[in-house]
Amino acid sequence: MKQRNKRISLFLSITLVCTLTLMNLTGCFIKDKLNPTSEDDEADFEQIAEVNDSISEVKNSKEYLSGDKKAQTELLLKEIQKQAKSGKIKSDSIICDEENHIISFRYSNGVLGFDKGSTFDNELDNVKDSPKFITGDQLFPAKKDGKKADAVILNAMTDRTNVMDTCKKLADEWSTSGINTKLDDTVTLDDLVSLREYEFVYVKTHGRYASFSGSDGKIPCVSLEEKKNKKTDKKYKTDIKKNNSVGYCTDNTYFITPDFFKAHYKADDLSGSIFFFGCCELMGAHGSKVSTHWEKVLKKLSVSAFVGFYNSNHTYYNLDLVTSFMDHLIKGDTAKEAFEKATDECGETDITWYQKKYGKKPDDIDVDAYPILKLNEKATLKWEDGENSDSTQTDATTGTTVKSLTNDQALKAITNYIYINYPEIKEYVEDKSNENKAPCYWDIDEEESNDTTAVVAWRSYTAAWTYYYIDRVSGETKTLVYPPHLTK
């Protein structure tokens, strides 16, 4: 750690105090001076909203709502071409996938956009009852003594009550089994860059396999329910306008491409984790080869294994499948063993699942959707020793033992906070092209840290120092900022 000049008064420092809860570091927003939004940027984002609003008007019209899928696609294409004539969409970027009823394009500033047509998988969602869990051995065995793991369920299908209820049930059951499970029913861009702490991630969102002009082949996109807003447009401006890893659905929600993960995580950030994507078409769609986009990115980030679907899968099929898959992981099976047992119990495709469940073939499912397991088939759920995973303190008032943050947990939390609120810093740190650039780093300050407070010191490339004083029990954090050339 750096040399300190104790003679300089702390009163000369600029003191900022904010409260960070380590379970939700995105809650405290600090203005990002490194990534300002220009008037041109604001005009671009406003124009995108205008285009989307015009398309939404068409989708709410009687003519659209009364038409079949072909007629609806034709109406949308006509409106998108009208927007292109007005200069708000690049005319040479419009691609209409009539077979899958997807129209993709680029707005006038090059940002990705697509219209998802009717509800992503409503043609597969004719079952109205909740998923019926697999019978047989009791699911979710008792908690492993002295062991723990963390999981998150990212559910963006909040419009479907049965899905919400089932996800809540899964979270409760997994927690009972020693899997500390967070249920996230917002699924924002911030949420998607905060997955480092989890051993298991279940992504329950919509998805599409779409073509974009200037891109090499189709790209599997994951759609969110987060609505476009000025704050998020600004924070992720680089992803939206430069990297094209974030785009807009025409209902003014965001979607991401695999490059979004590549931009916000580095090697080993997701080491040992297992992902289960409940999204449609993550691995491709009929008429195309199996996509390797997500496989390549997740492999670079050291994800142990992941499951994704080829074609549009039935909502309740993948809920049943993840239930069984996780059950066998908890029991100690490898990813391959858990996958094979889950597909044997639930069915290898959504059509066989439907036949197994209802004794007949569905009327409105023409193409099978099936899950694919990728990466390390021998991967297992990573359990930690419960006794050592968290340190403890004795509360002076009550005499009870409470969980206490370790230095590693505090450092990891501050790293997440910096990466989320200062994406330009993440790019700066990871850019290895300039060996002579000013240093920028952060670490635990061992001299200042003690039993009650963890201290993280951040040296900015401007030579300013920021100190985060984190209460190990409450997570409350005080921040001291020292301008360049002023040392502590």
Side-chain angles (χ1 to χ4, degrees):
M1 199 50 67
K2 67 183 189 307
Q3 289 291 109
R4 297 179 176 82
N5 185 349
K6 297 292 185 181
R7 293 175 296 178
I8 297 178
S9 171
L10 290 179
F11 291 106
L12 296 177
S13 68
I14 299 173
T15 304
L16 301 174
V17 181
C18 66
T19 298
L20 304 177
T21 302
L22 292 175
M23 293 301 291
N24 183 16
L25 282 173
T26 63
C28 180
F29 176 73
I30 297 177
K31 187 175 182 181
D32 186 358
K33 295 181 179 179
L34 296 173
N35 194 23
T37 304
S38 67
E39 291 182 2
D40 288 342
D41 290 329
E42 291 181 356
D44 284 344
F45 291 136
E46 288 178 5
Q47 183 171 282
I48 287 172
E50 291 173 4
V51 171
N52 293 344
D53 289 343
S54 295
I55 295 173
S56 293
E57 286 183 15
V58 173
K59 296 182 73 171
N60 290 325
S61 67
K62 290 182 179 180
E63 185 179 5
Y64 179 89
L65 294 173
S66 62
D68 58 19
K69 287 187 177 181
K70 182 179 179 181
Q72 289 177 343
T73 302
E74 290 175 351
L75 284 171
L76 292 176
L77 181 59
K78 184 178 180 180
E79 177 60 29
I80 290 170
Q81 289 171 337
K82 176 182 175 183
Q83 295 295 323
K85 287 182 179 180
S86 68
K88 296 178 181 180
I89 287 176
K90 291 189 173 183
S91 58
D92 59 354
S93 73
I94 301 172
I95 300 175
C96 182
D97 181 349
E98 295 181 0
E99 183 178 8
N100 295 299
H101 308 287
I102 304 173
I103 305 175
S104 56
F105 53 86
R106 289 180 183 267
Y107 296 94
S108 60
N109 58 0
V111 172
L112 301 181
F114 75 72
D115 185 89
K116 50 195 178 187
S118 54
T119 303
F120 276 91
D121 59 350
N122 87 323
E123 70 271 26
L124 303 181
D125 199 22
N126 61 318
V127 182
K128 301 304 179 185
D129 59 331
S130 297
K132 297 178 181 178
F133 290 92
I134 307 304
T135 58
D137 294 339
Q138 182 181 2
L139 294 179
F140 307 115
K143 180 177 180 179
K144 290 177 177 285
D145 293 335
K147 300 289 186 181
K148 69 177 285 290
D150 295 298
V152 62
I153 298 174
L154 299 166
N155 175 37
M157 296 187 179
T158 55
D159 58 324
R160 302 184 182 191
T161 303
N162 288 341
V163 174
M164 280 294 296
D165 291 343
T166 303
C167 286
K168 289 176 182 177
K169 179 180 176 65
L170 286 177
D172 290 341
E173 295 285 4
W174 293 356
S175 295
T176 301
S177 302
I179 311 291
N180 180 32
T181 305
K182 175 185 177 182
L183 176 56
D184 181 343
D185 58 4
T186 57
V187 196
T188 64
L189 293 171
D190 281 350
D191 294 334
L192 293 180
V193 299
S194 307
L195 302 177
R196 293 172 179 83
E197 65 186 275
Y198 301 107
E199 281 72 51
F200 188 84
V201 179
Y202 177 36
V203 183
K204 188 75 182 87
T205 69
H206 292 298
R208 276 301 200 191
Y209 196 45
S211 298
F212 297 99
S213 66
S215 300
D216 185 16
K218 290 188 174 183
I219 301 174
C221 303
V222 174
S223 179
L224 313 183
E225 284 197 352
E226 182 180 20
K227 288 289 185 180
K228 172 183 175 350
N229 62 82
K230 289 183 179 180
K231 175 182 170 182
T232 310
D233 282 342
K234 175 186 175 183
K235 184 183 290 189
Y236 293 98
K237 183 182 72 173
T238 300
D239 297 289
I240 296 168
K241 299 193 70 174
K242 180 180 177 182
N243 297 337
N244 280 158
S245 59
V246 175
Y248 301 101
C249 299
T250 55
D251 60 358
N252 274 322
T253 56
Y254 295 103
F255 69 84
I256 67 164
T257 72
D259 284 344
F260 182 75
F261 269 53
K262 187 166 67 174
H264 289 276
Y265 294 103
K266 57 185 177 181
D268 298 328
D269 267 359
L270 302 176
S271 177
S273 59
I274 296 175
F275 277 66
F276 191 108
F277 288 89
C279 322
C280 291
E281 302 179 1
L282 191 91
M283 306 302 291
H286 53 280
S288 67
K289 295 180 180 179
V290 172
S291 169
T292 60
H293 288 81
W294 280 97
E295 179 182 1
K296 290 177 180 177
V297 170
L298 296 179
K299 183 177 181 179
K300 288 182 179 180
L301 303 180
S302 302
V303 168
S304 290
F306 81 95
V307 175
F309 285 87
Y310 186 90
N311 284 332
S312 293
N313 71 88
H314 196 294
T315 296
Y316 298 147
Y317 171 54
N318 80 62
L319 281 168
D320 272 354
L321 198 71
V322 74
T323 301
S324 180
F325 182 70
M326 185 56 140
D327 171 42
H328 293 295
L329 287 179
I330 291 173
K331 290 176 180 176
D333 285 344
T334 65
K336 182 180 180 180
E337 292 168 338
F339 182 79
E340 290 178 345
K341 291 176 181 178
T343 52
D344 181 61
E345 292 167 351
C346 301
E348 294 183 352
T349 72
D350 54 356
I351 290 181
T352 56
W353 163 83
Y354 191 99
Q355 290 174 316
K356 195 170 187 177
K357 189 169 184 177
Y358 295 100
K360 62 177 183 178
K361 187 175 180 179
D363 297 327
D364 56 354
I365 303 179
D366 299 322
V367 182
D368 296 67
Y370 57 89
I372 299 173
L373 173 67
K374 287 292 184 178
L375 302 180
N376 182 13
E377 294 182 340
K378 296 181 180 179
T380 57
L381 190 63
K382 187 171 68 175
W383 295 89
E384 298 177 353
D385 292 330
E387 296 177 353
N388 300 322
S389 58
D390 294 297
S391 60
T392 59
Q393 287 186 26
T394 301
D395 188 291
T397 304
T398 64
T400 59
T401 299
V402 293
K403 286 186 177 181
S404 176
L405 291 165
T406 65
N407 284 347
D408 287 344
Q409 289 171 328
L411 180 60
K412 190 174 185 179
I414 293 300
T415 299
N416 286 345
Y417 174 76
I418 292 173
Y419 282 174
I420 290 169
N421 288 280
Y422 300 93
E424 296 294 326
I425 287 293
K426 183 177 186 296
E427 288 185 17
Y428 184 88
V429 170
E430 295 181 356
D431 181 9
K432 307 301 181 184
S433 62
N434 183 5
E435 296 180 357
N436 298 318
K437 68 181 180 181
C440 179
Y441 55 87
W442 50 92
D443 204 349
I444 289 289
D445 187 331
E446 300 286 355
E447 294 182 24
E448 293 292 324
S449 297
N450 54 43
D451 291 343
T452 60
T453 305
V455 182
V456 177
W458 170 20
R459 198 274 189 192
S460 172
Y461 66 87
T462 64
W465 283 89
T466 303
Y467 290 83
Y468 298 96
Y469 292 80
I470 308 165
D471 186 291
R472 293 188 186 274
V473 175
S474 69
E476 182 174 303
T477 301
K478 293 182 178 180
T479 308
L480 292 177
V481 180
Y482 294 81
H485 313 303
L486 189 65
T487 56
K488 185 177 175 186

